[in-house]
């Protein structure tokens, strides 16, 4: 092992080092606790407002146990807790802020390595992006999915069951009693959403990248094996420092190829496109939408998990978990890629068994042949848009219809249920000003509500297009992440009611059938709206955020020359 970074704070004959040591004494620690031992920062994104992470208090203790056992010195460091269920306008507005906090925590303190504790949606990419930029050995500890929901004799899926129930309620089919039972029983334990939403997609993606222990992302949060896994994470974090296993050695092109392929096999969330692109750009790896689409297209969807399938994350765990799915996918993976264990992906998945073919389908009998996520381009989205075909209605994947345009979210809320709205099931609903700048923060508004009068008539899906994102637990024929977004003058800003829009997912096209001269005329009169935030983080975000196809990172945070270590004096 080379000299510990923390020794440059603690083991020198200087007044500053004396001060650091005396303050460690104040905390109750002496040299026998830390001298010559890797100091492991346990970055904890738990808080009283984050139910997905409410077991983290105990898990921090489990990690510490492992760190002590392996001869390290653990220090818990809380970081911003992005609780998806509560933050407005969207936790996505704060993903990059969390990443900055993590990067600077690791840089400014006497730390040799890190355990990154996250799981609730944006915490996972935020933690990894920050740790990658800090460049210290790190290992991700996934929160794990919550137990299956249950009410009225039915299994309930995070988000997915609620969206369905809400549409039925708007159609007048669900009563208050059932509503309350679902409210009580849909989320009934610690842990992240248990569908293949963004949380479970991203924790699996990070495991596939090699930054988490093999199999760890599938373990339910309240299973005793989760606590066992946490102490193993603690032990491994110390070894990763001793091996100098920095993220750049793990996060290679091959690692990102594996992550995208695993997401495709899981039928993962559209949000993974934005997050994986952002993480890759932090790591200096070129992952663009074209490569994403090509990799996805090669991979059959094997995981039969909601919202695209029938089962939930608990079932995936009992069926063998992600290791088993990756083993089944092994001929499509880069098996030589290194993981945080110091072993390769191939070594880590060897011998993993699928226990239930209904949950993890065989390669020759997939849920979807390839391309669960697809990237579209065309006159409406010159820089790309994304659709999750497996969660869409097959009969709408090729569709042409007149636009019904909503100028922003408030306009949509005001008018969508008006009886006089000129809309038919063949219409295409479009939402403007919902992108990274326009939202701001690119909220999950992409599953636009269907007009009540169509719901009452039995309609349950229509083509919907926006520059927003969509919850990974959602479903429907929703074209998302249109880039460039409307708030910066992308073609989406120029669409008017009645314009013909054509969607061709197999052909990967999204087009606005309006002559170029007419669009040029409309552009001459288009003006950006006033900024939502005039100060603070929101202003910094909106003035520096990249577009969706580039990962929505802030332009000054992407890969660049290394930041020097803070001066030690
Ligand atoms: Fe935390 Fe879904 S609300 S993962």
């Amino acid at each position: 092992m080379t000299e510990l970074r923390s020794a440059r704070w603690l083991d020198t004959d200087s007044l500053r080092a004396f001060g650091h040591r005396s303050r460690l004494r104040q905390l109750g620690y002496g040299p026998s606790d830390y001298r010559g031992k890797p100091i492991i920062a346990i970055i904890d994104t738990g808080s009283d407002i984050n139910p997905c992470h409410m077991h983290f208090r105990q898990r921090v203790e489990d990690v510490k146990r492992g760190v002590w056992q392996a001869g390290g010195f653990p220090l818990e460091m809380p970081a911003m807790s992005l609780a998806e269920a509560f933050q407005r306008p969207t936790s996505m507005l704060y993903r990059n802020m969390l990443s900055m906090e993590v990067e600077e925590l690791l840089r400014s303190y006497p730390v040799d390595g890190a355990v990154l504790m996250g799981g609730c949606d944006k915490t996972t990419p935020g933690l990894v992006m920050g740790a990658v930029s800090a460049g210290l050995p790190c290992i991700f500890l996934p929160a794990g999915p919550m137990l299956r929901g249950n009410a009225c004799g039915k299994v309930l899926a995070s988000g997915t069951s609620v969206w369905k129930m809400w549409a039925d309620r708007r159609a007048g089919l669900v009563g208050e009693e059932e509503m309350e039972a679902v409210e009580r029983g849909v989320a009934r334990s610690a842990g992240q959403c248990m569908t293949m939403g963004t949380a479970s997609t991203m924790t699996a993606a990070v495991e596939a990248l090699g930054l988490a222990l093999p199999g760890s992302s599938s373990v339910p949060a309240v299973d005793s094996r989760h606590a066992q896994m946490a102490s193993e994470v603690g032990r491994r974090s110390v070894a990763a420092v001793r091996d100098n296993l920095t993220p750049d050695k793990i996060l290679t092109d091959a690692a990102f190829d594996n992550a995208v392929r695993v997401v495709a096999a899981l039928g993962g969330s559209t949000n993974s496109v934005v997050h994986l692109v952002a993480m890759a750009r932090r790591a200096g790896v070129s992952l663009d939408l074209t490569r994403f689409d090509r990799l996805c297209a090669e991979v059959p969807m094997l995981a039969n998990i909601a919202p695209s399938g029938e089962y939930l994350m608990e079932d995936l765990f009992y069926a063998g978990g992600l290791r088993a799915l990756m083993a089944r996918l092994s001929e499509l993976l880069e098996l030589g890629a290194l993981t945080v264990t110091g072993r390769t992906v191939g070594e880590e998945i060897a011998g993993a068994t699928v226990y239930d073919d209904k949950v993890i389908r065989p390669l020759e009998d997939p849920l979807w042949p390839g391309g669960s996520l697809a990237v579209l381009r065309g006159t409406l989205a010159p820089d790309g848009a994304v659709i999750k075909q497996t969660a869409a209605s097959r009969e709408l994947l090729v569709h042409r219809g007149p636009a019904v345009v909503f100028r922003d979210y408030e306009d949509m809320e005001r008018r969508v249920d008006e009886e006089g709205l000129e809309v038919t099931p063949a219409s295409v609903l479009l939402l403007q000003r919902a992108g990274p700048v326009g939202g701001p923060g690119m909220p999950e508004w992409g599953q636009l509500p269907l007009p009540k009068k169509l719901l009452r008539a039995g309609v349950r899906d229509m083509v919907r297009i926006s520059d927003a994102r969509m919850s990974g637990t959602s479903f429907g024929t929703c074209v998302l992440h249109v880039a460039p977004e409307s708030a910066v003058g992308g073609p989406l800003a120029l669409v008017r009611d009645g314009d013909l829009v054509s969607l061709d997912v197999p052909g990967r096209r999204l087009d606005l059938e309006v002559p170029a001269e007419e669009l040029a005329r409309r552009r001459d009169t288009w003006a950006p709206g006033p900024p939502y935030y005039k100060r603070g983080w929101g202003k910094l975000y909106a003035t520096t955020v990249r577009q969706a196809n580039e990962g929505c990172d802030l332009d000054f945070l992407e890969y660049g020359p290394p930041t020097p270590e803070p001066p030690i004096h």
Side-chain angles (χ1 to χ4, degrees), residues 262-306:
V262 164
V263 165
L266 290 170
S269 160
T270 45
N271 283 317
S272 67
V273 183
V274 178
H275 297 320
L276 279 168
V277 167
M279 288 155 69
R281 289 166 79 105
R282 287 283 182 114
V285 168
S286 134
L287 174 62
D288 60 18
L289 294 192
T290 304
R291 186 168 152 208
F292 206 107
D293 187 67
R294 179 178 56 74
L295 290 164
C296 270
E298 296 166 354
V299 180
M301 183 183 153
L302 304 183
N304 189 5
I305 310 293

Side-chain angles (χ1 to χ4, degrees), residues 87-411:
Q87 281 194 298
R88 290 185 180 177
T90 162
S91 65
M92 183 63 176
L93 185 62
Y94 301 103
R95 181 199 68 180
N96 300 336
M97 182 187 258
L98 172 62
S99 81
M100 289 173 78
E101 184 184 8
V102 171
E103 178 179 350
E104 300 308 329
L105 276 174
L106 297 182
R107 178 170 295 124
S108 60
Y109 283 119
V111 164
D112 300 297
V115 171
L116 312 169
M117 296 179 61
C120 188
D121 278 40
K122 316 306 178 292
T123 56
T124 301
L127 284 161
V128 171
M129 288 160 71
V132 167
S133 296
L136 300 183
C138 61
I139 178 167
F140 178 72
L141 193 166
M146 65 177 88
L147 299 177
R148 301 181 192 97
N150 180 281
C152 307
K154 290 185 216 150
V155 171
L156 298 176
S158 307
T160 310
S161 297
V162 176
W163 314 134
K164 287 193 171 124
M165 183 198 66
W166 202 255
D168 286 345
R169 181 183 186 241
R170 294 178 76 237
L173 303 174
V174 175
E176 289 306 313
E177 208 173 312
E178 186 177 344
M179 290 279 299
E180 194 189 326
V182 171
E183 184 180 308
R184 285 175 189 276
V186 69
R188 60 191 182 92
S189 82
Q192 70 212 25
C193 292
M194 78 324 242
T195 35
M196 191 51 72
T198 306
S200 292
T201 303
M202 288 312 299
T203 53
V206 170
E207 182 180 325
L209 280 171
L211 269 188
L213 289 185
S216 60
S217 67
S218 315
V219 188
V222 294
D223 193 298
S224 61
R225 285 164 283 189
H226 197 273
Q228 296 164 39
M229 178 268 290
S231 67
E232 178 58 26
V233 166
R235 287 188 289 276
R236 185 59 218 164
S237 68
V238 177
V241 172
R242 296 211 160 107
D243 297 346
N244 195 26
L245 205 46
T246 45
D248 57 309
K249 299 186 176 101
I250 297 171
L251 297 183
T252 58
D253 284 81
F256 279 96
D257 285 0
N258 283 343
V260 174
R261 287 184 168 130
V262 164
V263 165
L266 290 170
S269 160
T270 45
N271 283 317
S272 67
V273 183
V274 178
H275 297 320
L276 279 168
V277 167
M279 288 155 69
R281 289 166 79 105
R282 287 283 182 114
V285 168
S286 134
L287 174 62
D288 60 18
L289 294 192
T290 304
R291 186 168 152 208
F292 206 107
D293 187 67
R294 179 178 56 74
L295 290 164
C296 270
E298 296 166 354
V299 180
M301 183 183 153
L302 304 183
N304 189 5
I305 310 293
S308 303
E310 298 168 59
Y311 296 93
L312 294 171
M313 287 301 293
E314 207 179 326
D315 305 300
L316 181 71
F317 180 58
Y318 303 145
L322 193 71
R323 273 184 74 238
L325 179 133
M326 288 177 70
R328 194 154 261 185
L329 205 62
S330 59
E331 66 194 57
L332 294 168
L333 296 178
E334 304 285 343
L335 299 179
L338 185 64
T339 78
V340 73
T341 63
R343 289 152 46 95
T344 64
V345 167
E347 288 170 322
E348 291 297 354
I349 63 175
T353 306
V354 173
Y355 298 111
D356 190 340
D357 281 343
K358 295 192 297 305
V359 180
I360 302 176
R361 301 276 281 262
L363 274 176
E364 54 283 4
D365 182 27
L367 246 80
W368 191 268
S372 55
L373 297 177
V375 174
L376 315 172
R377 283 201 173 78
T379 52
L380 189 50
D383 292 340
V386 174
I387 187 169
K388 186 173 185 173
Q389 344 188 31
T390 50
S393 301
R394 295 191 186 199
E395 66 276 13
L396 290 175
L397 292 176
V398 177
H399 182 80
R400 185 165 175 262
V404 175
V405 181
F406 299 107
R407 286 189 307 280
D408 55 30
Y409 189 83
E410 286 71 31
D411 181 42

